[in-house]
Amino acid sequence: HPWETVTTAAMQKYPNPMNPSVVGVDVLDRHVDPSGKLHSHRLLSTEWGIPSIVKSLIGTCRTRTYVQEHSVVDPVKKTMELKSSNISFTNLVSVDERLVYKPHPHEPDKTILTQEAIISVKGVSLSSYLEGLMANTISSNANKGREALEWVINRLNAEIEEFAASARGTMRNSMAAAAFVEK
Amino acid sequence: MNSVGEACTELKREYDQCFNRWFAEKFLKGESAGDPCGQLFKRYQLCVQKAIKEKDIPIEGLEFMGPSKGKTEDSS
């Protein structure tokens, strides 16, 4: 899909069926900087499907995790960069992700996404079995991310189709009504 | 999609609709001047800030600025 489509979808990524744990999205700040780039700071609230009995014991507040996301969209250079990191109450494990969307250099109707993640435990980078495990999860999540955007793009297109179809229907109805009146 | 503050969800939806339209139809086409969503954003922001304080969410290095450059923050 072209970069404009992907970027528009990325701004409306949630909710989507591939990320059911994201339950809330809020914009904390948004502004266009002097060079024309749009900066957005967002807060994502996630809920990890903890059994309700556990929730009732420890309360919903403790089962929510939050992710802080900073995105920059440059409409001239056509780049969108997203940096996100989880806000952890215990500061035990932190995951920082960086995604960059750019138009494909040779195929203008396609977009390239590069994604990287840094996993740290108490400020020290992991290099062990746990890292391998999380890296696998993150790379399968990267695929999920692509599927999620695909889903959003289809939804947006369907909405446009529906709108166009109902507009045509309305026009036909008003033309028929006008013809009836003229008789 | 809901807001972190349940009471803010409606305000968020109104702002989101305005923003998504502006983003796709103006900003990406190079017309970033003018911000039709400023008022909606302000109202939505006040609600969110309150909710974050109430829920004690530790957000670092956050400054709640206005939606477009050049706007000065008025203290309440």
Side-chain angles (χ1 to χ4, degrees):
Chain A
H1 296 283
W3 180 83
E4 285 81 357
T5 306
V6 173
T7 309
T8 303
M11 299 305 270
Q12 305 179 52
K13 191 171 174 184
Y14 305 105
N16 73 73
M18 289 81 188
N19 299 96
S21 55
V22 177
V23 298
V25 179
D26 281 292
V27 181
L28 301 174
D29 175 45
R30 183 170 267 149
H31 64 277
V32 179
D33 73 16
S35 63
K37 298 198 272 247
L38 179 73
H39 293 253
S40 308
H41 271 101
R42 301 204 302 181
L43 178 73
L44 276 57
S45 314
T46 63
E47 184 88 46
W48 289 99
I50 292 164
S52 45
I53 188 156
V54 180
K55 266 200 246 193
S56 62
L57 288 173
I58 68 177
T60 332
C61 282
R62 300 276 292 275
T63 62
R64 286 272 164 96
T65 54
Y66 298 98
V67 175
Q68 203 171 323
E69 179 201 86
H70 176 206
S71 63
V72 186
V73 183
D74 187 335
V76 175
K77 290 209 186 113
K78 298 206 186 186
T79 60
M80 175 173 185
E81 185 174 328
L82 280 119
K83 280 193 193 143
S84 70
S85 56
N86 63 338
I87 298 169
S88 166
F89 290 95
T90 62
N91 280 324
L92 206 58
V93 179
S94 59
V95 181
D96 296 295
E97 271 200 320
R98 182 172 171 257
L99 286 80
V100 183
Y101 292 99
K102 281 188 187 160
H104 192 290
H106 308 299
E107 293 177 71
D109 269 355
K110 292 198 178 146
T111 304
I112 292 198
L113 163 67
T114 38
Q115 188 166 355
E116 48 186 350
I118 302 166
I119 310 145
S120 311
V121 176
K122 286 205 171 175
V124 178
S125 239
L126 277 181
S127 53
S128 65
Y129 168 75
L130 188 57
E131 182 190 48
L133 185 68
M134 289 197 77
N136 279 339
T137 309
I138 285 173
S139 70
S140 70
N141 278 351
N143 219 29
K144 220 169 47 157
R146 201 176 47 82
E147 284 172 23
L149 280 197
E150 195 68 49
W151 184 89
V152 175
I153 289 169
N154 283 332
R155 180 178 66 86
L156 292 176
N157 284 340
E159 280 172 12
I160 294 172
E161 263 303 309
E162 229 179 86
F163 181 74
S166 78
R168 282 197 294 269
T170 315
M171 271 172 52
R172 256 185 252 125
N173 284 342
S174 37
M175 276 163 61
F180 181 74
V181 166
E182 270 177 10
K183 265 200 276 191
Chain B
M1 188 83 272
N2 293 333
S3 169
V4 67
E6 294 78 15
C8 314
T9 298
E10 198 44 52
L11 290 170
K12 175 190 128 66
R13 292 226 176 105
E14 279 180 27
Y15 165 70
D16 277 350
Q17 261 187 352
C18 177
F19 170 77
N20 289 330
R21 229 189 345 249
W22 171 82
F23 183 77
E25 292 170 19
K26 299 271 172 179
F27 180 73
L28 287 184
K29 302 196 175 158
E31 304 166 34
S32 61
D35 179 13
C37 312
Q39 278 309 314
L40 287 169
F41 188 62
K42 267 202 189 111
R43 281 207 306 252
Y44 164 53
Q45 275 296 283
L46 287 170
C47 185
V48 168
Q49 283 178 39
K50 214 172 90 189
I52 287 174
K53 276 206 190 93
E54 279 168 9
K55 300 200 178 201
D56 232 349
I57 302 172
I59 299 172
E60 290 172 32
L62 204 59
E63 292 153 30
F64 288 95
M65 290 162 53
S68 46
K69 56 172 170 148
K71 270 215 180 125
T72 47
E73 175 90 11
D74 27 24
S75 49
S76 44

